[in-house]
Amino acid sequence: MARIIVVTSGKGGVGKTTSAAAISTGLALRGKKTVVIDFDVGLRNLDLIMGCERRVVYDLVNVIQGEAGLNQALIRDKRVENLFILPASQTRDKDALTQEGVAEILEKLKDEFDFIICDSPAGIERGAQLAMYFADEAIVVTNPEVSSVRDSDRILGLLASKTQRAERGGDPIKEHLLVTRYNPERVTTGDMLTLEDIREILSVHLLGLIPESEAVLRASNQGVPVTHDASSDAGQAYSDTVSRLLGEELPLRFHEVQRKGLLSRMFGGSRR
Amino acid sequence: MKLLEFLKRERKKSASVAKERLQIIVAHQRSQRGQPDYMPLLERELLEVIRRYVHVDDDAIQISLDSEDNCSVLELNVTLPKS
């Protein structure tokens, strides 16, 4: 039985798709059969980040409307075994996504996969609500910045009220906080909210911390999820995040200013 | 003297300003959590009705909805100015 995890944030541009791609890749690399679904109907981007944009034939809406079978729409990842992508539609209107349709797809995927990762669109409209509705767990992606933290709090409110688990009154959705684009240097100078500040304000269990990193843009340029860049700070931080999702307990990394060695100081080593 | 004051004045770090602002806005958001969507409109319309008779400020009205076992209680507090 699969764990359904929504990657959400409220605010746009904080790293939802990057995180959904990196985490699902990390899970598949550990041998977990994983599918990542793009819920951003109209503005799909997960396919680009995963590097499979030219192999999209059918999408989520095609499957919901019965124009294609689920297996026709699922794209098998080229790099990792056990990883599949279900892209969002680019043209149809948002009403094409129905709760019944999504329920049916998830029901079919549940038996076959270990993890179903739902990449939510920004905002709190239909697409975002459907992405979270059936979730067992939520990863709330937050930047150390006021509007992102505020929107994350709004999303936490919705997770606690507008989801199937909330409506049925059983176990609530398990909430995880993922802080991204963290810059320890700016935290030290007092110009960025600290990790502790964010945890205190949102009071959610911390799943991981991803430092601001040049590796992320490099990864999206190439369409290779950053988890594959195992030598990069962001790649390692996502890998730690995946381990914690699988129940391992790991100490936090990359939250403090890295002391530079003599060589990198001489040659101006930048963040990897 | 002015210069000395200027030099002594420590600039408040922007991150601590951010934290204070967030704590206030998040507390406000949470107080509204779970209340029905019509509450803000109800509050505004009630204020309009009251204003037909008495002039009150925007923040003179407090409205809250508490759920008990079988029913919900709508509590309305209006502070009227001294006449």
Side-chain angles (χ1 to χ4, degrees):
Chain A
M1 200 65 159
R3 280 163 74 180
I4 304 178
I5 305 179
V6 60
V7 179
T8 182
S9 72
K11 191 175 182 298
V14 297
K16 277 183 300 296
T17 301
T18 299
S19 298
I23 289 169
S24 41
T25 299
L27 286 166
L29 285 169
R30 312 284 169 95
K32 304 289 176 197
K33 196 169 180 196
T34 305
V35 56
V36 54
I37 308 177
D38 191 350
F39 275 82
D40 203 346
V41 170
L43 286 173
R44 75 161 173 240
N45 275 321
L46 180 70
D47 53 336
L48 267 180
I49 303 300
M50 297 293 297
C52 64
E53 70 276 11
R54 294 176 63 186
R55 294 195 290 144
V56 176
V57 182
Y58 296 111
D59 57 55
L60 183 60
V61 171
N62 289 139
V63 179
I64 286 179
Q65 299 192 333
E67 296 157 357
L70 191 51
N71 288 326
Q72 286 175 289
L74 285 175
I75 302 172
R76 184 188 288 269
D77 189 81
K78 274 186 293 192
R79 296 179 191 86
V80 203
E81 235 184 300
N82 295 323
L83 181 57
F84 292 82
I85 299 116
L86 184 53
S89 150
Q90 212 166 19
T91 50
R92 314 283 182 100
D93 68 315
K94 295 194 177 199
D95 295 333
L97 221 52
T98 61
Q99 194 171 88
E100 298 73 35
V102 173
E104 207 176 302
I105 289 182
L106 291 176
E107 207 52 51
K108 282 182 192 159
L109 293 172
K110 255 179 169 174
D111 299 327
E112 250 185 87
F113 287 89
D114 299 317
F115 283 90
I116 302 173
I117 308 293
C118 303
D119 181 21
S120 171
I124 52 175
E125 301 298 315
R126 189 186 181 81
Q129 293 206 7
L130 275 175
M132 70 168 70
Y133 189 76
F134 297 101
D136 302 311
E137 297 171 50
I139 296 176
V140 180
V141 183
T142 307
N143 287 171
E145 182 269 327
V146 282
S147 51
S148 174
V149 176
R150 179 203 209 167
D151 289 357
S152 293
D153 182 70
R154 287 272 284 141
I155 286 293
L156 289 168
L158 293 180
L159 287 168
S161 62
K162 301 263 198 257
T163 51
Q164 191 179 52
R165 276 176 179 252
E167 284 169 7
R168 287 186 179 171
D171 289 340
I173 286 189
K174 198 168 167 191
E175 299 157 344
H176 308 276
L177 175 66
L178 181 65
V179 176
T180 56
R181 309 197 72 165
Y182 196 72
N183 185 331
E185 281 93 2
R186 301 209 72 186
V187 170
T188 312
T189 57
D191 278 331
M192 184 176 271
L193 286 166
T194 70
L195 189 60
E196 282 313 311
D197 292 341
I198 302 170
R199 286 168 88 168
E200 192 187 319
I201 292 163
L202 295 176
S203 47
V204 180
H205 153 78
L206 182 75
L207 180 69
L209 174 124
I210 315 299
E212 170 99 75
S213 167
E214 290 169 8
V216 172
L217 180 59
R218 215 159 46 222
S220 82
N221 284 342
Q222 295 171 309
V224 181
V226 72
T227 327
H228 285 295
D229 189 353
S231 66
S232 70
D233 49 2
Q236 290 171 20
Y238 273 116
S239 178
D240 285 4
T241 303
V242 168
S243 301
R244 292 192 196 102
L245 211 48
L246 293 173
E248 282 174 54
E249 280 183 32
L250 290 178
L252 212 56
R253 291 198 276 171
F254 311 111
H255 59 298
E256 282 164 348
V257 180
Q258 310 278 306
R259 234 182 277 151
K260 280 183 180 171
L262 182 65
L263 277 179
S264 64
R265 237 183 288 175
M266 280 170 66
F267 298 109
S270 54
R271 267 170 278 121
R272 286 175 298 162
Chain B
M1 199 56 197
K2 279 264 167 68
L3 182 71
L4 195 67
E5 269 173 37
F6 177 76
L7 288 174
K8 274 165 94 179
R9 192 188 55 167
E10 208 170 290
R11 190 167 66 99
K12 200 169 187 186
K13 298 291 187 195
S14 69
S16 55
V17 179
K19 187 183 180 185
E20 280 165 28
R21 293 174 63 213
L22 273 170
Q23 280 170 327
I24 294 166
I25 194 68
V26 164
H28 178 71
Q29 269 178 194
R30 287 189 186 160
S31 69
Q32 294 184 331
R33 227 181 240 183
Q35 73 177 20
D37 296 337
Y38 59 74
M39 286 289 275
L41 187 63
L42 177 64
E43 189 173 331
R44 207 162 57 235
E45 289 190 15
L46 282 170
L47 192 64
E48 274 168 29
V49 173
I50 292 165
R51 274 193 182 148
R52 281 184 215 154
Y53 303 92
V54 204
H55 182 78
V56 290
D57 289 333
D58 282 349
D59 54 3
I61 180 166
Q62 271 160 5
I63 182 168
S64 70
L65 190 67
D66 293 314
S67 318
E68 281 161 32
D69 298 334
N70 290 324
C71 60
S72 299
V73 179
L74 182 71
E75 194 181 297
L76 180 69
N77 277 304
V78 188
T79 320
L80 297 179
K82 261 190 187 160
S83 54

